[in-house]
């Protein structure tokens, strides 16, 4: 405690007899003496409040249940107390939250009794909590103090863009029309916020008809298709088989009634929102240095125009000219991926906003001289009628995510690699950009959870090749995105038909991702044989990819509305094909590496390369020929049956660990939106 020093002041008076009277002399009045001001007595500052009533993981889980924007990053000093420098206040939560102290009290109180569930609606709310708990909040933190004031203002402007993107996306996916039906309980509102709608998405709850943020479990009606059309079973067939190709255009909505459908451009259907986004993008350019960020300024202006005209080619051209050499930032704002909607035709509106990570240069230098050779190799396996073509795609850029918005910000899990655009001249001519998000899943919680999952399914010898190292996980992601630019991809057609028209939208998307992920395995040997990677790194990357696949198998094959899960299907087919070819061996009696589970997968390294080569030939060939029958057979054998792939065992073991659910925060800036600190 700091001591307060006090100084005593003594007043001394000199006294004498009264003198004889004299004539008064004019003089200035004597100044009035003021009594000294007594020192202010203040209490010593109180010691910081203790916040040790709840463990870190429980704090974060319950904060999500209560829809509170607080996250305990790490117990840095290992004192089991939440200190001020260990707290983040999260973005994309309701504004004006309770102070931290009030929130902490609420979280501790809810630890043993999460909410008042002794009501008629209690069972639904218990399911909602169960759905929320299947996601482990995983922080994406951006250190703002490293940015200049103008750059911080740029981030703030892009956050405003993100808010508008979110609003528009939630109109498109039907969530906005449901928001007025939300009950007041915090867990339902948290689910609706996280899931971008009322439907539960956790693998253990998504098929329960009672699990919804809204009592009665109303079905979302997508704004991009007529409501009466969606009311019909298998309505996507109407879009798939229509002679009007405009109905399948990725940048249109379908209007009218089921018997008379017309395509309306996004820029008309969402004119007000798109105009707002365009204005914000132009405003954002004012925060950038015209000398150092010319390509980004050009792109933001071009994207703004595209939001007004619905012509996305010019924005793609400007975007493709950006590299790790000419901008500090990665920005992609456009309608792109199609997985978000039931028919998989319409581009999902999103914002990916990140900082460029220069670590990609190493891989670019290694891979750039071999991109044409990789294309030739894949083309040979694909076979006729596909013919090799010149490839000039950008090799992977590494980025550190700042924020995701719209279709990018998924409830559980998220995108860790991407090749864009998917449509237009830039895509078809191989001039797109490939990226890997390298700051995701690198936290200790994610690493520990994944190792635990791996040990529950792999045997001890196979576990020796699973390192969990960041490079072993990043390399397959890089090669996956590279393979999107190889072989039959993008708008490749067979007899004038695209993959979506041949296979159907969801199956067409799945087959492209299956080709890319199989290419990730195939190119590992390509690089190892050329001594571009070590034998150890190749082995670790194979093991990491197998664990990745089992993770997606554990999430199930179809969502709660019966739509195909793209990556779950990809993973099941890969695991199944590796099992059939002996590269993986399932032994129901073998001990798993964790020493507690019985039944384990063994990675047979001697058969991996020939198995993967055969897989690549099969899958690329299906895409090259447009062989719908063969694609359906793969799904029937490995996705819709457990005769080869032990779906239920993988699900039970992997689901012991919640899957990462990304949350976002800024640090060390007034713009972080901190509502209170301990």
């Amino acid at each position: 405690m700091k001591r307060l020093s006090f100084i005593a002041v003594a007043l001394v008076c000199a006294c004498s007899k009264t003198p004889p009277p004299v004539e008064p002399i004019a003089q200035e009045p004597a100044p009035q003496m003021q009594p000294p001001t007594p020192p202010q007595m203040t209490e010593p500052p109180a010691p910081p409040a203790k916040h040790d009533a709840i463990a870190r993981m429980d704090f974060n889980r319950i904060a999500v249940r209560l829809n509170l924007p607080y996250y305990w990053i790490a117990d840095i000093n290992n004192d089991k107390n939440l200190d001020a420098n260990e707290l983040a206040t999260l973005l994309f939560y309701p504004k004006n939250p309770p102070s931290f102290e009030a929130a902490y009290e609420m979280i501790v109180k809810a630890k043993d009794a999460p909410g008042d569930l002794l009501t008629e609606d209690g069972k639904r709310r218990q399911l909602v909590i169960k759905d929320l708990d299947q996601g482990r909040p995983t922080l994406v933190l951006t250190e703002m103090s490293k940015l200049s004031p103008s750059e911080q203002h740029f981030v703030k402007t892009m956050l405003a863009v993100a808010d508008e993107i979110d609003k528009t996306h939630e109109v498109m996916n039907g969530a906005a029309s449901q928001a007025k039906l939300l009950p007041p309980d915090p867990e339902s509102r948290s689910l609706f916020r996280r899931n971008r709608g009322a439907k539960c998405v956790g693998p253990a709850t998504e098929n329960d008809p009672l699990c919804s943020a809204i009592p009665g479990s109303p079905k979302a009606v997508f704004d991009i298709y007529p409501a009466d059309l969606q009311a019909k079973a298998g309505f996507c067939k109407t879009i798939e088989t229509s002679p009007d190709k405009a109905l399948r255009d990725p940048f249109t909505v379908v209007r009218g009634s089921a018997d008379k459908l017309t395509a309306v451009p996004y820029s008309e259907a969402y004119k007000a929102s798109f105009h707002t986004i365009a204005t914000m993008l132009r405003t954002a350019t004012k925060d950038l240095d015209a000398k150092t960020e010319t390509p980004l300024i050009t792109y933001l202006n071009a994207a703004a125009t595209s939001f007004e005209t619905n012509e996305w080619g010019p924005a793609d051209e400007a975007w493709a000219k950006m590299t790790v050499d000419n901008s500090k930032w990665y920005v992609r704002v456009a309608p792109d991926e199609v997985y978000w909607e039931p028919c998989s035709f319409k581009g999902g509106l999103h914002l990916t906003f990140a900082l460029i990570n220069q670590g990609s240069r190493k891989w670019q230098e290694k891979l750039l001289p071999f991109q044409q050779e990789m294309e030739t190799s894949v083309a040979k396996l694909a076979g006729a009628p596909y013919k090799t073509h010149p490839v000039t795609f950008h090799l992977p850029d590494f980025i550190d995510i700042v924020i995701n918005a719209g279709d990018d910000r998924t409830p559980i899990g998220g995108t860790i690699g991407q090749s864009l655009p998917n449509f237009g001249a830039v895509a078809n001519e191989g001039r797109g950009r490939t990226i890997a998000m390298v700051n995701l899943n690198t936290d200790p919680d994610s690493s520990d959870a994944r190792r635990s999952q791996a040990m529950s399914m792999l045997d001890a010898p196979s576990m020796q090749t699973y390192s969990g190292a960041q490079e072993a996980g990043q390399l397959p992601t890089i090669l996956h995105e590279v393979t999107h630019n190889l072989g039959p991809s993008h708008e490749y057609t067979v007899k004038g038909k695209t993959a979506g028209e041949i296979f159907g939208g969801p199956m067409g998307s799945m087959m492209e991702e299956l080709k890319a992920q199989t290419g990730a395995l195939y190119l590992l040997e390509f690089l190892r044989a050329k001594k571009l990677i070590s034998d150890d790194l190749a082995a670790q990357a194979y093991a990491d990819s197998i664990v990745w696949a089992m993770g997606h198998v554990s999430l199930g094959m179809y969502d709660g509305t019966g739509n195909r899960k793209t990556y779950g299907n990809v993973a099941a087919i890969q695991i199944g094909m590796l099992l059939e070819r002996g590269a993986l061996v399932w032994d129901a009696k073998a001990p798993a590496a964790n020493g507690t589970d019985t039944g384990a997968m063994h990675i047979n390294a001697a058969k991996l390369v020939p198995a993967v080569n055969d897989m690549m030939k099969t899958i690329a060939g299906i895409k090259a020929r447009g062989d719908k029958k063969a694609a359906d057979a793969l799904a029937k054998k490995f996705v819709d049956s457990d005769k080869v792939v032990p779906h239920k065992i993988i699900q039970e073991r992997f689901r012991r660990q919640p899957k990462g659910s990304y949350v976002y925060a800024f640090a060390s800036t007034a713009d972080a939106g901190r509502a209170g600190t301990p």
Side-chain angles (χ1 to χ4, degrees):
M1 182 178 71
K2 182 178 179 180
R3 291 184 177 273
L4 299 179
S5 299
F6 297 93
I7 301 176
V9 179
L11 300 180
V12 180
C13 179
C15 301
S16 64
K17 291 182 179 181
T18 304
V22 295
E23 292 295 324
I25 300 174
Q27 59 182 343
E28 292 292 328
Q32 297 295 313
M33 292 190 66
Q34 299 295 325
T37 302
Q40 296 297 311
M41 301 296 292
T42 59
E43 294 293 329
K50 295 285 285 183
H51 301 100
D52 58 358
I54 187 169
R56 184 174 69 86
M57 298 292 277
D58 291 334
F59 174 93
N60 289 336
R61 185 180 71 254
I62 295 172
V64 173
R65 291 180 181 179
L66 297 179
N67 208 20
L68 296 170
Y70 297 107
Y71 183 89
W72 188 349
I73 303 169
D75 190 5
I76 297 171
N77 55 8
N78 201 32
D79 65 349
K80 297 181 173 56
N81 180 65
L82 200 173
D83 301 311
N85 64 335
E86 298 172 351
L87 178 70
T89 303
L90 303 176
L91 305 168
F92 308 120
Y93 270 74
K95 300 186 186 303
N96 303 316
S99 69
F100 170 77
E101 292 297 343
Y104 189 82
E105 185 177 344
M106 293 166 64
I107 291 168
V108 172
K109 185 177 179 180
K111 178 176 62 172
D112 299 317
D116 176 17
L117 301 183
L118 300 177
T119 65
E120 183 180 351
D121 197 32
K123 185 176 180 181
R124 178 193 65 81
R125 290 171 62 190
Q126 287 174 336
L127 287 169
V128 165
I129 288 172
K130 185 177 180 180
D131 192 76
L132 289 171
D133 285 356
Q134 291 170 76
R136 182 188 67 257
T138 304
L139 184 63
V140 179
L141 183 67
T142 299
E143 180 55 65
M144 295 283 281
S145 63
K146 297 178 181 178
L147 304 177
S148 69
S150 63
E151 288 173 331
Q152 290 189 25
H153 196 268
F154 174 60
V155 172
K156 184 177 180 180
T157 304
M158 294 309 295
L159 184 58
V161 174
D163 285 342
E164 193 63 31
I165 293 285
D166 280 344
K167 291 176 187 176
T168 311
H169 173 67
E170 288 169 13
V171 169
M172 296 170 78
N173 76 359
S177 64
Q178 292 186 316
K180 61 182 179 294
L181 303 175
L182 276 172
D185 62 274
E187 58 268 21
S188 295
R189 290 179 173 267
S190 188
L191 184 93
F192 194 85
R193 169 196 54 77
R194 188 198 72 173
N195 291 7
R196 322 303 294 278
K199 188 76 182 72
C200 291
V201 300
T205 46
E206 63 184 346
N207 293 310
D208 192 319
L210 185 61
C211 193
S212 172
I214 299 173
S217 304
K219 184 178 180 181
V221 178
F222 284 76
D223 188 66
I224 54 173
Y225 299 114
D228 66 334
L229 179 64
Q230 293 177 68
K232 297 182 178 181
F235 81 91
C236 291
K237 283 288 183 183
T238 303
I239 307 297
E240 289 175 11
T241 58
S242 172
D244 184 0
K245 290 194 172 187
L247 300 181
R248 296 185 289 276
D249 186 287
F251 311 126
T252 66
V253 302
V254 179
R255 294 289 187 246
S257 59
D259 57 347
K260 189 176 181 180
L261 302 173
T262 59
V264 177
Y266 276 177
S267 56
E268 290 183 26
Y270 307 111
K271 187 173 183 178
S273 297
F274 274 36
H275 174 72
T276 299
I277 293 167
T279 301
M280 288 178 174
L281 292 175
R282 293 190 178 105
T283 299
T285 65
K286 296 178 172 58
D287 296 318
L288 298 170
D289 187 334
K291 294 181 180 179
T292 60
E293 290 289 352
T294 299
L296 177 55
I297 291 171
T298 301
Y299 169 63
L300 292 175
N301 283 321
T305 300
S306 293
F307 273 93
E308 295 168 334
T309 64
N310 212 48
E311 295 293 332
W312 300 94
D316 287 343
E317 293 288 352
W319 182 71
K321 291 180 173 65
M322 295 177 62
T323 69
V324 296
D325 299 315
N326 61 26
S327 180
K328 181 175 184 175
W329 303 93
Y330 175 91
V331 182
R332 176 70 182 179
V333 55
D336 277 311
E337 304 287 14
V338 298
Y339 317 132
W340 67 287
E341 60 98 347
C343 302
S344 293
F345 282 117
K346 306 301 179 181
L349 189 62
H350 74 113
L351 167 67
T352 308
F353 180 47
L355 285 157
I356 293 290
N357 183 314
Q358 294 295 324
S360 60
R361 291 179 179 275
K362 177 185 74 171
W363 289 109
Q364 291 171 347
E365 291 169 0
K366 284 187 176 183
L367 298 176
L368 184 62
F370 299 99
Q371 55 182 337
Q372 191 61 51
E373 190 175 344
M374 289 188 283
E375 159 64 12
T376 301
S377 180
V378 171
K380 183 178 179 181
L381 289 174
Y386 181 78
K387 295 180 180 178
T388 188
H389 68 285
V391 289
T392 55
F393 58 86
H394 291 306
L395 286 160
D397 292 340
F398 284 4
I399 63 173
D400 292 323
I401 291 293
V402 176
I403 52 174
N404 292 317
D407 181 44
D408 258 6
R409 199 169 70 252
T410 53
I412 297 178
T415 300
I416 57 173
Q418 201 166 34
S419 288
L420 294 173
N422 292 324
F423 312 100
V426 172
N428 292 335
E429 295 166 14
R431 295 185 286 111
R433 296 180 69 185
T434 298
I435 53 163
M437 296 73 163
V438 295
N439 64 327
L440 303 183
N441 299 327
T442 58
D443 60 292
D445 292 341
S446 296
S447 299
D448 291 346
R450 194 157 185 206
R451 177 166 290 278
S452 176
Q453 290 172 326
M455 291 180 70
S456 74
M457 279 300 301
L458 295 178
D459 64 8
S462 301
M463 194 65 200
Q464 292 179 6
T465 62
Y466 177 80
S467 66
Q470 187 176 14
E471 190 173 43
Q474 284 178 355
L475 181 54
T477 299
I478 294 167
L479 298 180
H480 174 112
E481 299 307 328
V482 164
T483 310
H484 273 309
N485 300 281
L486 306 177
S489 58
H490 303 302
E491 293 183 333
Y492 170 77
T493 61
V494 180
K495 297 180 180 179
K497 291 186 175 183
T498 65
E501 293 167 335
I502 294 167
F503 299 108
M507 180 64 87
S509 296
M510 190 279 288
M511 286 302 300
E512 173 58 24
E513 296 303 320
L514 179 59
K515 182 207 75 175
Q517 186 60 21
T518 305
L521 300 180
Y522 173 71
L523 292 176
L524 285 173
E525 175 58 18
F526 179 94
L527 299 182
R528 191 205 66 80
K530 293 185 177 298
K531 301 189 183 305
L532 296 173
I533 62 173
S534 67
D535 294 354
D536 285 345
L537 179 55
Q540 292 169 15
Y542 282 125
D544 198 280
S545 297
I546 289 166
V547 173
W548 172 91
M550 288 191 289
H552 277 283
V553 169
S554 75
L555 298 178
M557 300 295 105
Y558 298 90
D559 67 19
T561 56
N563 295 319
R564 189 179 299 279
K565 287 187 176 181
T566 299
Y567 285 105
N569 282 222
V570 166
I573 291 171
Q574 282 202 325
I575 294 291
M577 295 181 81
L578 289 171
L579 283 165
E580 277 200 332
R581 287 155 178 77
L584 281 179
V585 179
W586 168 249
D587 186 342
K589 296 181 180 180
N594 62 10
T596 57
D597 287 303
T598 300
M601 287 280 191
H602 176 71
I603 301 174
N604 186 347
K607 292 190 176 183
L608 261 177
V609 171
V612 168
N613 289 350
D614 187 54
M615 289 165 60
M616 192 69 206
K617 182 176 181 179
T618 299
I619 293 159
I622 290 172
K623 281 217 68 182
R625 300 187 302 275
D627 192 343
K628 184 178 186 302
K629 185 176 179 180
D632 289 341
L634 285 177
K636 183 178 180 181
K637 189 173 190 179
F638 302 122
V639 173
D640 300 328
S641 170
D642 59 2
K643 290 182 179 179
V644 179
V645 180
H647 286 266
K648 292 180 181 178
I649 294 173
I650 294 172
Q651 289 172 6
E652 187 279 321
R653 296 185 190 178
F654 268 62
R655 289 182 187 180
R656 296 169 189 168
Q657 298 288 337
K659 190 170 177 62
S661 176
Y662 299 125
V663 293
Y664 304 78
F666 299 152
S668 301
T669 174
D671 294 332
R674 299 175 75 88
T677 55

